[in-house]
Amino acid sequence: MPEANTAVMEFLHTRRSRPAKLLQDPAPDREALMPILTAAARTPDHGKLEPWRFIVLEKPALNRLADAVEQCGAETGRTEEDIAKARQQFLDSPLCVAVIEVQKPSEKIPAIEQTYSAGAVCLSLLNAALASGWGANWLSGWPSHDCAFSQKTLGLADNERVAGFIHIGTASAIPPERPRPDLDSITTWLDR
Ligand SMILES: Cc1cc2nc3c(=O)[nH]c(=O)nc-3n(C[C@H](O)[C@H](O)[C@H](O)COP(=O)(O)O)c2cc1C
């Protein structure tokens, strides 16, 4: 049998996001965040294109995004409820890392593989934050899909989009376990 890394397997079998609403200060400082970002950047990436980058949103930036949500939401006809929810997520966040998918021109690597890799970065970042003892949650919401919003507030280029907002802080409570998939119903074994 191969030698198992039991600590990592134990983590993977028990890991659980901490809902963003339960996150409070303190958040990791720059020194504490660096190993988390380093782990996230060690993600499978076909062709070494590095089709992603990070934007770390500290408190003043989060407040600025909250204000921009209000303005952009009104301009694009979002409901008051949608605007308030998105605004509150930025206001409540102790720290947020926006994982940015950066589509690189390639004759060999399809665009969708770059998208998958950016999603994998989001999960790695989430897991690295959780494994470091922080509470963390991967959120999207309409601002992450609104190109005008992200170009204006985060300075994204035309080949860039938000893959995920990873909110990180100190969890004020541990949420109840979430039902997990029934393995038998999602797994097919082919032996020929
Ligand atoms: C791409 C993506 C976007 C998500 N966006 C949201 C969101 O906007 N709001 C939300 O409540 N959960 C969202 N989730 C779900 C949570 O991040 C997470 O899956 C859920 O809390 C359970 O996490 P766990 O399996 O780590 O416990 C999103 C998940 C993914 C993969």
Side-chain angles (χ1 to χ4, degrees):
M1 285 292 280
E3 193 180 330
N5 187 330
T6 51
V8 172
M9 285 307 284
E10 166 70 11
F11 168 77
L12 291 173
H13 282 156
T14 56
R15 58 163 300 287
R16 170 83 172 94
S17 294
R18 303 290 186 259
K21 280 184 189 151
L22 298 180
L23 299 181
Q24 57 188 28
D25 286 331
D29 59 16
R30 292 186 183 201
E31 196 188 347
L33 192 61
M34 285 307 285
I36 294 170
L37 296 179
T38 303
R42 198 180 177 92
T43 285
D45 156 22
H46 194 178
K48 296 201 205 75
L49 293 178
E50 296 180 18
W52 21 258
R53 65 186 180 94
F54 305 117
I55 299 178
V56 181
L57 301 166
E58 298 179 295
K59 211 66 209 170
L62 287 163
N63 292 338
R64 183 173 60 78
L65 259 66
D67 288 345
V69 156
E70 201 143 35
Q71 197 191 338
C72 183
E75 284 167 8
T76 52
R78 308 271 170 194
T79 66
E80 275 184 27
E81 193 187 355
D82 284 348
I83 293 171
K85 186 177 172 192
R87 184 169 187 273
Q88 206 58 44
Q89 281 178 351
F90 289 121
L91 287 179
D92 288 346
S93 179
L95 180 87
C96 177
V97 180
V99 176
I100 309 302
E101 174 189 340
V102 187
Q103 278 287 335
K104 301 279 175 76
S106 169
E107 287 182 7
K108 189 177 156 213
I109 316 299
I112 194 155
E113 292 193 11
Q114 302 185 41
T115 303
Y116 292 152
S117 183
V121 167
C122 291
L123 180 60
S124 278
L125 178 50
L126 177 72
N127 279 341
L130 294 171
S132 303
W134 299 101
N137 200 190
W138 175 355
L139 298 185
S140 50
W142 65 261
S144 75
H145 301 298
D146 186 321
C147 292
F149 174 82
S150 46
Q151 287 181 351
K152 190 171 151 198
T153 58
L154 301 173
L156 301 197
D158 287 344
N159 64 332
E160 296 183 316
R161 62 180 169 178
V162 175
F165 288 117
I166 314 298
H167 298 267
I168 307 175
T170 300
S172 58
I174 297 183
E177 179 51 320
R178 177 183 167 100
R180 297 296 167 175
D182 168 39
L183 251 279
D184 286 339
S185 67
I186 60 166
T187 308
T188 304
W189 300 77
L190 296 179
D191 58 4
R192 66 189 148 113

